[in-house]
Amino acid sequence: MLVIVAPGQGSQAPGFLAPWLELPGLPERLERLSEVAQSDLVAHGTTSDAPTIKDTAVAQPLIVGAGLVALSALFGVDRAAAPDRGDDAGRADGRAASPVGATAGHSVGEITAAAFAGVLTEDEAVAFVRERGRGMAQASAVAPTGMSAVVGGDPEEVLAVLDSLGLTPANLNGAGQVVAAGTLEQLSALDGAPPARARVVPLQVAGAFHTRHMDPAVDRLARHVLDLAAQDPAVPLVSNADGTVVDDGEEVLRRLVRQVSNPVRWDLTMDTFLAMGVTGLIEIPPAGTLVGLAKRALRGVETLALKTPDDLDQARRMIQEHGGPQDAGPDAPPHPGQPEHQHPQEDTP
């Protein structure tokens, strides 16, 4: 079984989109998405420097836009936005990618995954991430905050140290990695006294994402989605909140809003991949981070970081070898408190 995964913020690097924009049609596609994002995604993906693309309001639309254009190159499907909801022309979805058994995204990458699964059109996804990035940037400006990865150490001791410093375990990524979020003062204290046998790596993000510091952005997004009519996923969508397979489009939207101020559980997401019988995993641009985690947590699964168009042939080979019509599988986790083999909505806040 093949899964497609989309990375989150911090995965971007200066110039990472340049080779993709050498492909016919992709510059025009990204220019159209730039209009929706109200941001020059072409420039930010090719010539903007590291401080510029670290800005949350720039980084998030850039990452989602990059994933969408790479998916169009990989599957060779016209994903131009439809002016109305009477057809699926604006959906970068699995109806055109039936070999894919599941999809998921880390943090902002879940928006890309939702578009790939057909929950949102490309334009809806980019408009959503535009509001998300702006809202989180504004929330980040209230107080100096950030995030650092804690790699290694005893998991319980790591969490205890974070708690003692008032930090939030914002991402539990599995494979021995927890991302701490909080004020820069708290993160400095962590860097000065890390947990035993662990190292602390500051991340290239400009706020304490997936914590209470992002509550104002949640309110903004909750208002934004009132005008959206989500479609149910055409590809099983694994939620990064708890590893649940979500098959209701409106529930996907609710989770996209809530995740801004709640932890990402990529460890549980990868557990679900294993339960579903994953054999191949492709990470779309800006790729590398999630493949690194998968290599340690999903032993025996073939992985590919789709970094440049040079990787497309290998990705297509993997689609042929690992792809095929799939369902969620008998071992995929149901929603908490519901009968097994079902994926109804979850109404917890």
Side-chain angles (χ1 to χ4, degrees), residues 302-303 312-323:
E302 183 177 7
T303 61
L312 285 171
D313 285 345
Q314 186 176 352
R316 290 168 182 146
R317 175 193 59 77
M318 287 182 63
I319 291 171
Q320 290 293 321
E321 293 183 3
H322 299 280

Side-chain angles (χ1 to χ4, degrees), residues 242-290:
D242 54 12
T244 297
V245 178
V246 182
D247 61 8
D248 179 88
E250 294 299 328
E251 174 65 5
V252 172
L253 278 187
R254 285 189 284 272
R255 285 171 175 255
L256 285 173
V257 171
R258 290 200 302 261
Q259 59 129 288
V260 170
S261 63
N262 284 280
V264 170
R265 294 300 305 268
W266 196 250
D267 55 341
L268 300 181
T269 303
M270 291 193 293
D271 286 348
T272 297
F273 293 162
L274 286 174
M276 296 174 78
V278 61
T279 58
L281 178 147
I282 298 174
E283 180 183 2
I284 61 175
T289 301
L290 300 182

Side-chain angles (χ1 to χ4, degrees), residues 82-107:
D84 59 61
R85 302 305 293 266
D87 58 45
D88 295 315
R91 299 188 178 279
D93 69 24
R95 297 175 184 88
S98 58
V100 178
T103 187
H106 191 289
S107 187

Side-chain angles (χ1 to χ4, degrees), residues 94-177:
R95 297 175 184 88
S98 58
V100 178
T103 187
H106 191 289
S107 187
V108 71
E110 192 163 61
I111 302 168
T112 316
F116 177 68
V119 176
L120 301 172
T121 66
E122 285 191 346
D123 284 4
E124 288 169 341
V126 172
F128 183 94
V129 75
R130 178 193 68 215
E131 296 305 307
R132 185 185 194 269
R134 290 175 178 177
M136 293 174 75
Q138 291 174 0
S140 298
V142 174
T145 57
M147 305 176 80
S148 293
V150 182
V151 182
D154 177 77
E156 291 187 4
E157 182 180 348
V158 168
L159 294 178
V161 169
L162 298 189
D163 183 65
S164 71
L165 296 173
L167 289 162
T168 299
N171 303 165
L172 284 85
N173 287 332
Q177 184 186 109

Side-chain angles (χ1 to χ4, degrees), residues 251 254-255 258 335-336 338 344-349:
E251 174 65 5
R254 285 189 284 272
R255 285 171 175 255
R258 290 200 302 261
H335 285 270
Q338 299 291 338
Q345 296 181 17
E346 180 182 65
D347 295 322
T348 54

Side-chain angles (χ1 to χ4, degrees), residues 9 54 56 136 140 143-147 181-182 205-209 211 213-214:
Q9 194 168 341
K54 179 182 177 181
T56 300
M136 293 174 75
S140 298
T145 57
M147 305 176 80
V205 297
F209 306 150
T211 72
H213 294 282
M214 295 296 111

